[in-house]
């Protein structure tokens, strides 16, 4: 049985990927913030879905030593880390001249630098075992920009560069490295932006969804966490062994414009 670490999996996309992995018979180490009782209830629910075992580690993705402990503790509790999904992420929306420096640092640390730390700890074991799957959850904003999201767009472009570089370094060791680039998914990260955007633009929350968030998403539908979970399960399979160094859009046609 394979074992996966998914950063930022107490909510949203990461939690959806965790469910898909457990259903595919992959052990999962959850990670992320939230109410302790709610996290334990989630862990226990996923653990009960099948044979795969599910743990939780609360490493803060801004702290290199806690990230090292996440990898070590997973390997001690669940077995070698075969699959690593770098998913933890935050957002802040402001014009660059008003962008708080502390927010810039946090977004770069959580959305980009944390993947450098998880990869440098997990990759040696993957190479030694001649199997590994690293999936970086980037964004359509790793491929194109939107105004007022300077730190996020920078971090997401950066993680696609990291994806390509590590794909080349790991290519002859049975390890693939790919980025998944979702368009808008209706998770807490996106829902929390809607009221502020509505206020800033003087429009209704429904209009924010249709005319702002989905403006470039040609299908006019949100991507779902289940669709992303299914793609990640595929990327862990033997069928995906020759896919590496890619940035895969799942964005309802957004980046086709
Ligand atoms: P979310 O807010 O629902 O979940 C984010 C997760 O990251 C949570 O589990 C949270 O606890 C965790 N997290 C935040 N800070 C952390 C830290 N310092 N250390 C450890 N964990 C931390 O968000 P989401 O929408 O599910 O986003 C997940 C990823 O998908 C992010 O990288 C995001 O940029 C990306 N993404 C989201 C969308 C979207 O439309 N929702 C689109 C493209 C890409």
């Amino acid at each position: 049985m394979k074992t996966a670490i998914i950063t930022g999996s107490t909510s949203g996309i990461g939690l959806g990927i965790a469910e898909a992995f457990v259903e595919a018979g992959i052990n999962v180490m959850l990670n992320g913030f939230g109410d302790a009782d709610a996290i334990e209830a989630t862990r226990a629910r996923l653990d009960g879905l099948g044979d795969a075992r599910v743990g939780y580690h609360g490493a803060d993705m801004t702290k290199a030593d806690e990230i090292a402990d996440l990898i070590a503790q997973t390997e001690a509790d669940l077995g070698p880390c075969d699959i690593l999904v770098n998913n933890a992420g935050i957002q802040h929306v402001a014009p660059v001249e008003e962008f708080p420096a502390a927010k810039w640092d946090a977004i770069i640390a959580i959305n980009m630098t944390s993947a450098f730390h998880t990869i440098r700890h997990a990759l040696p074991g993957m190479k030694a075992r001649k199997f590994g799957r690293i999936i970086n959850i980037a964004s359509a904003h790793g491929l194109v920009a939107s105004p007022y999201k300077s730190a996020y767009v920078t971090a997401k472009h950066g993680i696609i560069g990291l994806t390509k570089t590590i794909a080349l370094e790991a290519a002859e060791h049975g390890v693939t490295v790919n980025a998944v680039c979702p368009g808008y998914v209706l998770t807490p990260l996106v829902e929390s932006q809607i009221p502020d955007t509505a206020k800033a633009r003087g429009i209704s929350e429904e209009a924010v969804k249709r005319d702002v968030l989905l403006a470039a998403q040609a299908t006019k539908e949100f991507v779902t966490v289940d669709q992303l979970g299914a793609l990640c399960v595929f990327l862990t399979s033997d069928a995906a062994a020759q896919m590496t160094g890619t940035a895969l859009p799942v964005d309802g046609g957004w980046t086709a414009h």
Side-chain angles (χ1 to χ4, degrees):
M1 191 172 273
K2 298 220 168 351
T3 293
I5 296 172
I6 309 171
T7 70
S9 45
T10 52
S11 167
I13 294 169
L15 180 55
I17 296 168
E19 292 201 31
F21 278 7
V22 170
E23 279 163 7
I26 299 168
N27 297 327
V28 171
M29 181 61 90
L30 298 170
N31 160 259
F33 296 156
D35 172 74
D37 290 342
I39 291 172
E40 173 50 24
T42 299
R43 190 208 62 75
R45 179 175 65 80
L46 295 188
D47 197 62
L49 284 181
D51 293 339
R53 288 182 301 143
V54 179
Y56 168 73
H57 190 291
D60 180 339
M61 288 299 117
T62 64
K63 307 230 161 68
D65 56 337
E66 295 185 21
I67 295 172
D69 194 63
L70 166 66
I71 313 298
Q73 197 63 51
T74 301
E75 301 207 329
D77 291 354
L78 298 177
C81 174
D82 307 297
I83 300 160
L84 169 65
V85 182
N86 291 303
N87 166 79
I90 59 167
Q91 174 64 288
H92 186 79
V93 181
V96 69
E97 58 272 46
E98 291 164 22
F99 212 92
K103 282 282 182 201
W104 173 278
D105 288 344
I107 290 173
I108 298 298
I110 296 166
N111 297 19
M112 189 179 76
T113 307
S114 69
F116 159 70
H117 291 300
T118 55
I119 288 170
R120 75 191 172 92
H121 292 301
L123 187 58
M126 292 178 177
K127 280 176 155 178
R129 293 184 299 274
K130 303 217 163 302
F131 180 87
R133 294 286 189 265
I134 299 174
I135 303 170
N136 297 322
I137 305 303
S139 169
H141 280 124
L143 302 167
V144 295
S146 295
Y148 314 127
K149 297 186 175 179
S150 54
Y152 188 87
V153 171
T154 300
K156 294 300 185 181
H157 276 66
I159 203 162
I160 291 178
L162 181 70
T163 301
K164 293 177 183 175
T165 306
I166 310 306
L168 296 179
E169 292 184 24
E172 292 183 62
H173 301 274
V175 179
T176 69
V177 190
N178 292 287
V180 171
C181 302
Y184 280 101
V185 190
L186 212 46
T187 66
L189 180 140
V190 166
E191 279 175 298
S192 66
Q193 300 171 43
I194 294 174
D196 282 350
T197 309
K199 214 183 294 168
R201 295 184 183 237
I203 57 176
S204 71
E205 297 195 6
E206 271 316 302
V208 170
K209 288 187 193 170
R210 192 186 57 245
D211 301 333
V212 180
L213 300 181
L214 297 179
Q217 211 148 300
T219 58
K220 301 295 171 200
E221 289 179 24
F222 287 97
V223 179
T224 69
V225 295
D226 290 350
Q227 290 160 353
L228 296 169
L231 174 60
C232 289
V233 169
F234 174 73
L235 286 173
T236 69
S237 72
D238 289 341
Q242 290 305 316
M243 291 177 69
T244 196
T246 69
L248 298 164
V250 186
D251 64 4
W254 173 352
T255 53
H257 285 287

